[in-house]
Amino acid sequence: MKRDVIVAVSFLLAFLFMAYALVYANVLGLGGAELRPLGEFYLSHSFAHEGLTSHSPEVVTAIVWNYRGFDTLFETFVFFLAIMGAFSVLRLTDEQEKLVKELEAREPHRQMDLIVRAITKLVVIMIVAISASIALHGHLTPGGGFQGGSAMAVASLLLFAAFSKFTLERKGLTVKHTVSAYALGLALILATVLAPVFLYGGKVLEINLLPGEMGLFNLDVGEYLAVTFGFLTVFLVLGVSEWIFKTVLRGEVND
Amino acid sequence: MIELHLIILAIVVSFGFVFSYLAMKEHDLLKALALSSVQSTFFALGFYILAAPDIVLAYLAIAVGAYTALVILAISKTERYEVGE
């Protein structure tokens, strides 16, 4: 352990030396007050490039959608593949799911402290409100569907930890429902992306053809739904206890 | 030309660096996970100083919340201690 501390401190010193050399001695010749050509280009073109704009009055979102719209769309697809991969690796047949339900009913009933439960309820309400404001103001302020959705996933995780998986399932958040909500979010994204092609004869993702900020708002809401319920699906699938999973897979159930 | 925010950035990122090293050396996986989420918190502060608020929002929720929970679920399916060299 002592050796670890020495290594960590020497890393720290090396890093501080590098920071000093870069910032004060200016070894690489970065910095300075003058604007480089790339920065100038972004400053003058960030809100609209050759007439193409996502109608966002906020510069981070404007750059993200005007220059990296396809990138964000493909991130959604990568996330979809990850969720579906986890879902199909851990899938069970209908009979096996029935067995899982029976075995879970037999597990001892445990409960967190009253203080923990009461505070979790309060905090979850606050997180839900914040995540909704991040996601629904995604076209006006920094943040958006993905950020809001991941904050919302944290809220569902808190419920998961302080209460249990069964509380969520009793409230209607079963895997079937979360997957349906995930599909709804993806459908909203796809509809918004393809709407310019079919309605206005434009290109894919040319959301400036849609009236006002509707395109960006729809994408935000779709991504919010997709990320929230995508994460929740994975947590619900992974939340089955390991011994139950093993018992069911081996088929060793004797009543 | 001493700029305060750059000094804070250097301190915060180097703390994150130290915590990521400690997380790699830790054999108790749950402790390593806690150390790695402390590292993420420092990096999130760094992103805030670098004026990337949208990254901060995503990074905090993912790295401290979702990633930690996923790895805890994964650890619960294997063993808590890393053994052997």
Side-chain angles (χ1 to χ4, degrees):
Chain A
M1 194 64 207
K2 200 179 170 194
R3 205 189 52 172
D4 286 353
V5 173
I6 292 171
V7 174
V9 169
S10 55
F11 266 132
L12 188 66
L13 287 178
F15 184 84
L16 284 180
F17 174 73
M18 260 162 52
Y20 179 82
L22 279 179
V23 174
Y24 295 111
N26 205 0
V27 184
L28 293 184
L30 295 173
E34 80 278 7
L35 202 56
R36 275 175 285 168
L38 184 65
E40 208 173 339
F41 178 81
Y42 276 129
L43 275 182
S44 53
H45 289 84
S46 58
F47 290 112
H49 181 59
E50 292 172 0
L52 292 177
T53 171
S54 54
H55 293 293
S56 173
E58 191 263 318
V59 71
V60 176
T61 314
I63 286 181
V64 163
W65 278 105
N66 294 344
Y67 292 95
R68 300 179 50 222
F70 272 111
D71 189 86
T72 312
L73 187 63
F74 289 137
E75 269 171 21
T76 309
F77 292 160
V78 169
F79 190 69
F80 172 74
L81 279 182
I83 302 276
M84 284 304 125
F87 199 51
S88 55
V89 165
L90 297 169
R91 74 189 182 282
L92 294 170
T93 60
D94 283 352
E95 291 158 28
Q96 283 171 328
E97 268 178 17
K98 219 176 274 172
L99 269 181
V100 169
K101 284 256 160 59
E102 280 174 22
L103 287 173
E104 276 175 345
R106 272 194 241 161
E107 271 201 331
H109 185 67
R110 279 170 301 185
Q111 215 174 14
M112 281 274 193
D113 212 29
L114 176 66
I115 300 174
V116 175
R117 281 183 287 145
I119 289 180
T120 307
K121 273 181 199 162
L122 283 178
V123 171
V124 162
I125 291 171
M126 286 193 257
I127 295 181
V128 169
I130 294 262
S131 75
S133 93
I134 292 174
L136 302 182
H137 289 174
H139 53 305
L140 303 176
T141 56
F146 188 76
Q147 285 87 345
S150 43
M152 184 72 178
V154 171
S156 59
L157 260 179
L158 276 181
L159 282 181
F160 202 100
F163 296 87
S164 68
K165 179 169 170 271
F166 313 116
T167 316
L168 290 183
E169 284 178 349
R170 251 203 323 277
K171 300 280 180 204
L173 288 173
T174 55
V175 174
K176 255 178 207 163
H177 290 171
T178 56
V179 169
S180 323
Y182 182 43
L184 187 71
L186 284 179
L188 188 57
I189 292 177
L190 267 186
T192 314
V193 167
L194 293 180
V197 180
F198 293 111
L199 294 183
Y200 300 94
K203 294 176 197 131
V204 173
L205 205 66
E206 204 173 350
I207 50 175
N208 55 326
L209 293 177
L210 298 175
E213 291 160 358
M214 195 183 115
L216 211 49
F217 184 74
N218 277 358
L219 286 172
D220 268 338
V221 173
E223 184 80 4
Y224 182 46
L225 276 177
V227 172
T228 305
F229 288 103
F231 269 124
L232 194 53
T233 309
V234 170
F235 293 141
L236 285 177
V237 170
L238 275 177
V240 179
S241 296
E242 183 63 7
W243 73 268
I244 293 180
F245 217 84
K246 276 183 182 162
T247 319
V248 170
L249 286 189
R250 285 183 191 138
E252 292 169 356
V253 184
N254 35 3
D255 295 83
Chain B
M1 53 177 263
I2 291 177
E3 291 178 66
L4 188 64
H5 68 283
L6 286 182
I7 295 175
I8 299 175
L9 179 66
I11 293 171
V12 159
V13 177
S14 42
F15 266 112
F17 204 55
V18 170
F19 273 100
S20 61
Y21 176 75
L22 290 178
M24 279 195 313
K25 293 296 286 182
E26 182 63 57
H27 285 289
D28 184 343
L29 293 179
L30 283 182
K31 272 187 195 166
L33 194 56
L35 288 171
S36 117
S37 65
V38 173
Q39 173 251 324
S40 322
T41 316
F42 279 119
F43 277 13
L45 277 173
F47 280 126
Y48 184 71
I49 295 168
L50 288 172
D54 56 328
I55 307 287
V56 176
L57 291 171
Y59 194 79
L60 264 184
I62 297 284
V64 181
Y67 169 76
T68 311
L70 277 180
V71 179
I72 285 180
L73 284 176
I75 290 174
S76 78
K77 289 180 186 297
T78 64
E79 284 160 12
R80 183 174 162 180
Y81 295 95
E82 191 182 339
V83 284
E85 275 299 299

